[in-house]
């Protein structure tokens, strides 16, 4: 490359300094392109329900950061049950979705499960049991927020044709 420069040291030093940066910048561009090719850079938008998944999301985020240090995780908080809609609408790339939930159009994988619990007054007939099914409490009054998805509120209580013990029984707890 030939460039005509005015006489004097400042112009020469400027050009030499910039010329030395060019190979390093070229290496950085090549490395960045390679990270993108391997999918190791960018932003991962993660949807989660307002109360989160506690320790699970913390552990998952730390492990993802360890495996993909060039990818920034952008958590996106949603109100009761809206994380699945955000996923369907393309507002998130992945989401922690509480089940039961409408999974139409989604690929779901169970990554964690927790026992159900039911709070009962100390004199309630179910208190002495080691476990109860959702059917055992189907006629009990239930406290819930109006913003919760109906599938969460019902929790299998109104599933047509469902009989017998729930797959994950609740542990009775006195209040």
């Amino acid at each position: 490359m030939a460039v005509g420069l005015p006489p004097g040291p400042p112009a020469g030093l400027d050009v030499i300094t910039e010329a030395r940066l060019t190979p390093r910048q070229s290496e950085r561009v090549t490395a960045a392109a390679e990270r993108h090719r391997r999918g190791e850079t960018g932003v991962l938008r993660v949807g989660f329900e307002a109360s989160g998944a506690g320790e699970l999301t913390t552990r998952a985020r730390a492990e993802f950061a360890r495996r993909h240090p060039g990818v920034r995780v952008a958590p996106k908080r949603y109100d009761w049950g809206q994380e699945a809609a955000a996923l369907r609408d393309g507002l998130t790339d992945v989401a922690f979705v509480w089940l039961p939930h409408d999974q139409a159009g989604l690929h779901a994988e169970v990554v964690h499960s927790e026992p159900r619990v039911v709070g009962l007054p100390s004199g309630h007939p179910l208190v002495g049991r080691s476990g109860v099914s959702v059917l055992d409490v189907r006629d009990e009054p239930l406290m819930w927020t109006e913003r919760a998805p109906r599938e969460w509120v019902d929790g299998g209580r109104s599933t047509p044709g469902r009989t017998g013990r729930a797959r994950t029984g609740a542990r009775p707890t006195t209040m």
Side-chain angles (χ1 to χ4, degrees):
M1 171 168 81
V3 177
L5 297 174
L13 288 175
D14 258 1
V15 170
I16 290 171
T17 301
E18 291 300 319
R20 286 183 177 148
L21 293 176
T22 301
R24 281 184 246 151
Q25 184 61 33
S26 174
E27 290 168 6
R28 288 198 303 266
V29 167
T30 302
E34 184 61 23
R35 284 193 308 275
H36 279 283
R37 185 188 68 73
R38 291 190 310 257
E40 296 175 353
T41 189
V43 176
L44 179 69
R45 300 166 303 160
V46 180
F48 65 97
E49 186 265 316
S51 66
E55 186 181 326
L56 173 65
T57 52
T58 303
R59 287 191 334 250
R61 186 175 183 175
E63 180 61 19
F64 183 84
R66 186 186 70 74
R67 290 184 187 187
H68 307 280
V71 179
R72 182 174 63 84
V73 174
K76 305 286 184 184
R77 179 188 166 278
Y78 292 94
D79 284 330
W80 295 84
Q82 297 306 307
E83 66 281 13
L87 190 57
R88 280 190 196 90
D89 293 342
L91 300 174
T92 62
D93 302 305
V94 296
F96 288 96
V97 177
W98 292 88
L99 299 177
H101 207 287
D102 177 13
Q103 297 177 38
L106 301 175
H107 168 77
E109 185 173 327
V110 175
V111 295
H112 182 71
S113 63
E114 355 179 76
R116 291 180 185 234
V117 295
V118 59
L120 301 167
S122 58
H124 194 283
L126 295 175
V127 168
R129 296 188 184 182
S130 62
V132 296
S133 82
V134 292
L135 296 174
D136 292 332
V137 293
R138 74 176 171 260
D139 296 324
E140 298 292 330
L142 179 64
M143 290 179 38
W144 59 285
T145 176
E146 291 182 8
R147 293 165 77 179
R150 193 73 221 171
E151 297 91 1
W152 292 2
V153 175
D154 291 343
R157 296 182 337 160
S158 63
T159 305
R162 186 169 182 159
T163 60
R165 307 255 328 147
R167 192 177 64 198
T168 53
R171 193 173 58 247
T173 305
T174 59
M175 299 179 79

